[in-house]
Each structure stands twice: as C-alpha cells, then as structure tokens.
Amino acid sequence: MTVFVKKGAQKMGKKYFLGVDIGTFESKGLLMDENCEVVATHAERHEMENPAPNHFEMDAEAVWWGDFCKISRALLEKTGISNGDIQCVGVSTMGAGLVPVDEDCMPLLKAIPYGIDARAEKEIEAMYEKYGEEEVLRFNGRPLCANDVPPKILWIRNHYPEIYEKAHKFLTGSSFMTAKLTGKYVIDRFLGYGGFTPLYDPDAGTV
C-alpha cells in the first residue's frame, strides 16, 4: 500500500475528479483537481490466483470492487476532501476478462482475466470444428485466442452448467465496475470489438 498526499490539497468549493485503475497485481487511484493537478494517490496490492495449470482468476467482488472502495476511502480520508466535491469518477480495468453475475451483480464464479488464462483451449478448438477457419476469420477478424470471451463463456457452460443457467450477465472488468457504480450494464466498445465478437452488437453497444 502506498499513499501520496500533496500539502494543502483541500480547498473549499474546489472540484475534484477520482480515477482508479484495477490492474493485474495492483490497483491505483488518484484525486485530481479542476486544474488537472494531482493532489493525492493511493495504491493497493492484490494477488492473482492460479488454482490449476493455465487457470488464472480473481475475486471480482473482493479484489476489483474491494480495491476501488479501499482506494476511494483512503484518498478521501487522507485529503479531507468531501465525497460531495467529487465531480466525476473514472475507472479502468484489465482487458477482456469475464465474470458471470446474478441479478444483484454479485459474481457467481471467480473472474477469468484476459489472455493470461488459457483454460478454454478445447472450446476454441470446438468453435473451429463447428464453424471452420474461414468463417471464424470472417466473424472474428483474426484467429481465436485465449483473450476472447465467447470461448470462456462456453467453458463455463461446459464445466458449470448451473452457473451458466443462473447467470444474469457475463461482464468484463469495466462492465462489472460500471454496474457496481451505476446499476447499468454497458460494455466498452473497444473490448466489444476486440474480445466479444460475434456476440457484440456495435449498433446497440451491448452484449
């Protein structure tokens, strides 16, 4: 855990902006004032679980959301800035991860991160067998890889059918954090194009 606070950070009537990045082994946050000057930073370390070969996962509720809450609380406490003075919150996370959630946006399984996890190799092979290489390239624009979300969803269906049936949404890290903060389910267009093809609808912006 690391903390930086600039002296004289609090100023009555001043506007502030909160930014938090949920990374692979560390989450970082900062408060910036209306003049784009950083007034405080905070970081929280966390672990990546490796329960089996080629399997990597994280607890989305405890780590992703937990880090966000810890960082936000630490920045406000260290600076004395009121949460009412925060005008905007920005959150970034790891790439095309996957976490199934219920209707209350509670994770049903540990989150499967981006390309570091390769558990869905058989699902990728099955998609090639079903659709053929030419069709995969047509709808995906490139060969399928461990970073893609559809094979991960198939892996959950094959290994945890009860979770697959119960899942209300399948979310990326940024989708999960946005839902926790706003109650709305959305997807980053870049990740939609990059990891959700052919499930992503670019016109609707949803999955």
Side-chain angles (χ1 to χ4, degrees):
M1 179 181 69
T2 58
V3 178
F4 158 78
V5 180
K6 184 177 179 180
K7 291 183 179 180
Q10 186 181 20
K11 182 179 178 180
M12 295 298 294
K14 206 169 187 179
K15 297 177 181 178
Y16 296 92
F17 304 88
L18 171 66
V20 177
D21 173 64
I22 310 298
T24 306
F25 294 106
E26 184 179 63
S27 298
K28 306 173 184 177
L30 64 80
L31 274 175
M32 181 177 65
D33 66 18
E34 56 197 354
N35 298 315
C36 297
E37 185 173 355
V38 175
V39 297
T41 64
H42 184 83
E44 291 282 343
R45 296 284 296 175
H46 56 244
E47 300 295 327
M48 175 80 74
E49 298 178 36
N50 182 205
N54 296 323
H55 288 224
F56 294 87
E57 55 193 33
M58 303 180 81
D59 188 320
E61 184 72 17
V63 176
W64 294 355
W65 180 240
D67 278 6
F68 178 87
C69 294
K70 291 176 185 176
I71 289 171
S72 300
R73 188 178 299 112
L75 289 171
L76 294 178
E77 289 177 352
K78 294 293 182 180
T79 60
I81 293 171
S82 168
N83 58 5
D85 292 327
I86 306 298
Q87 303 299 304
C88 180
V89 176
V91 181
S92 64
T93 67
M94 295 169 286
L98 177 70
V99 57
V101 300
D102 63 17
E103 293 186 357
D104 296 318
C105 199
M106 292 300 295
L108 300 172
L109 284 175
K110 296 287 182 70
I112 305 172
Y114 57 106
I116 188 174
D117 183 277
R119 71 183 67 191
E121 290 181 346
K122 290 184 178 180
E123 283 70 24
I124 291 175
E125 293 175 3
M127 290 179 71
Y128 273 110
E129 290 177 2
K130 180 174 182 178
Y131 297 106
E133 183 175 352
E134 185 175 332
E135 181 66 5
V136 168
L137 289 174
R138 186 192 67 78
F139 69 65
N140 203 49
R142 56 168 172 74
L144 288 167
C145 68
N147 200 53
D148 291 310
V149 172
K152 297 174 185 175
I153 295 177
L154 287 177
W155 185 90
I156 292 175
R157 188 185 70 176
N158 292 337
H159 292 81
Y160 294 95
E162 71 285 359
I163 297 295
Y164 178 83
E165 292 298 327
K166 187 178 179 180
H168 177 59
K169 299 286 183 181
F170 291 96
L171 305 177
T172 65
S174 56
S175 297
F176 176 77
M177 296 300 294
T178 300
K180 297 292 280 189
L181 288 167
T182 69
K184 297 180 179 180
Y185 292 103
V186 297
I187 187 170
D188 179 283
R189 289 180 69 86
F190 176 80
L191 291 181
Y193 281 115
F196 274 81
T197 306
L199 304 179
Y200 176 65
D201 182 348
D203 295 323
T206 62
V207 291

